[in-house]
Amino acid sequence: MTDSTPTLFTWEFASNPYPAYAWLREHAPVHRTTLPSGVDAWLVTRYADAKQALADARLSKNPAHHDEPAHAKGKTGIPGERKAELMTHLLNIDPPDHTRLRRLVSKAFTPRRVAEFAPRVQELTDQLIDRFAAKGEADLIHDFAFPLPIHAICDLLGVPREDQDDFRDWAGMMIRHGGGPRGGVARSVKKMRAYLLDLIHRKRGDLGDDLISGLIRASDHGEHLTENEAAAMAFILLFAGFETTVNLIGNGTLALLTHPDQRALLQKSISAGETDLLETGVEELLRFDGPVELATWRFATEQLTLGDQRIAPGDPVLVVLAAADRDPARFEHPDTLDLARRDNQHLGYGHGIHYCLGAPLARLEGQTALATLLTRLPDLQLAVSPEELRWRGGLIMRGLRTLPVAFTPAPPPR
């Protein structure tokens, strides 16, 4: 590797990783590097290689295949999940267990179920905007992008409304510590597990139409879902289901505010009652500056070749979705935001058997949040320069710490 290899995973890099990823795509598309945690891993940056890796059965999601004790030390995966006995979730397992567990929860995310949930998402969106619309300013992460998906996924899981503030606190700890101490995250994970096990016990006597009730019914009808598996499943749906949407709304709003021509086109389309540009627009925002920078951990189960590199058994592989989705070999003018882009098979929600289960819900939340913001606060603008914004550290997710905005105060609707 030459001396011009970009420095990765610094705070400067986090603010704009795309030039470094462009260099890697061209000069070192499958690149071995030492991560901030001290773990050595391969980064895959080209679209074709990324798509291959995401669907390659020789790249296991099970950390047991890692050739180092790094996972046992909490250096890979979600902090605290091993100690809290929450390892048996969809991000850590392979078929046939993955197939069995995914089938159990996929019913909650069918287009029909998500469409039925749309009025509740709209209600949550309006309630949150009502709280700050008259002030003329807000932090869109804290006041809007963060609470919306938390309350939505809690409703879907069946967490009672009176308990949802606890979830918000635990989730906030996970987000705030994205690049800092992992101990606070681990404590939140432990509290969340204890709560979920208790909730599963309580729901056994009063099953509803929610996802946790569905998991209990499945395990009671011979699907052999253990209590730990049920808790782990609820945990990962919450964990994976909120931060991605926080970042989709935050990153997407920032992209619109810094591309006024595209934002104006979208506002005009929404005010005309159209949905086409909103739908293609959210897909483009996922591609352009998506919520997940690197796909979750994979481990080689045998020797294989990716790009021109030989990957040894046990080696960790991280697919850089943010790099693949700006690959000029796949996307025309990849660094241009084009909300009307049609040829947009982005990898923002992954690919293959681990394709994001909650993608329909995230799309609904993203479309509802952005359309409602632009409609109710039409002159929304950044309250600071883009250079002053700070991005959260961390390896997998890409998201803003804060997003200060200003707008003409709007009275709440009658």
Side-chain angles (χ1 to χ4, degrees), residues 232-255:
M233 180 68 75
F235 164 73
I236 201 59
L237 290 173
L238 181 90
F239 190 88
F242 87 88
E243 193 172 359
T244 48
T245 308
V246 176
N247 296 347
L248 167 58
I249 297 169
N251 300 5
T253 302
L254 175 62

Side-chain angles (χ1 to χ4, degrees), residues 255-271:
L256 292 174
L257 295 181
T258 52
H259 294 79
D261 292 351
Q262 290 293 300
R263 174 248 188 96
L265 285 174
L266 182 56
Q267 281 183 292
K268 183 179 178 183
S269 172
I270 292 168
S271 64

Side-chain angles (χ1 to χ4, degrees), residues 240-377:
F242 87 88
E243 193 172 359
T244 48
T245 308
V246 176
N247 296 347
L248 167 58
I249 297 169
N251 300 5
T253 302
L254 175 62
L256 292 174
L257 295 181
T258 52
H259 294 79
D261 292 351
Q262 290 293 300
R263 174 248 188 96
L265 285 174
L266 182 56
Q267 281 183 292
K268 183 179 178 183
S269 172
I270 292 168
S271 64
E274 300 164 356
T275 60
D276 193 49
L277 191 63
L278 179 63
E279 290 169 5
T280 60
V282 166
E283 298 309 304
E284 174 68 347
L285 293 169
L286 283 160
R287 182 201 70 81
F288 181 76
D289 197 10
V292 184
E293 192 165 337
L294 281 73
T296 48
W297 295 81
R298 284 166 168 77
F299 305 93
T301 58
E302 60 185 78
Q303 182 169 293
L304 63 132
T305 301
L306 263 179
D308 57 355
Q309 297 289 347
R310 281 190 178 180
I311 313 296
D315 278 2
V317 174
L318 290 165
V319 177
V320 187
L321 305 178
D325 278 344
R326 293 219 191 178
D327 188 344
R330 176 60 186 84
F331 299 100
E332 194 173 340
H333 306 302
D335 295 321
T336 299
L337 182 70
D338 176 9
L339 298 182
R341 190 185 293 269
R342 291 283 173 187
D343 179 18
N344 195 1
Q345 295 295 312
H346 63 78
L347 300 175
Y349 285 127
H351 173 68
I353 63 167
H354 290 282
Y355 182 84
C356 175
L357 191 66
L361 177 61
R363 286 187 168 104
L364 168 68
E365 291 174 337
Q367 291 173 17
T368 305
L370 293 172
T372 310
L373 271 180
L374 294 176
T375 301
R376 293 191 54 183
L377 310 173

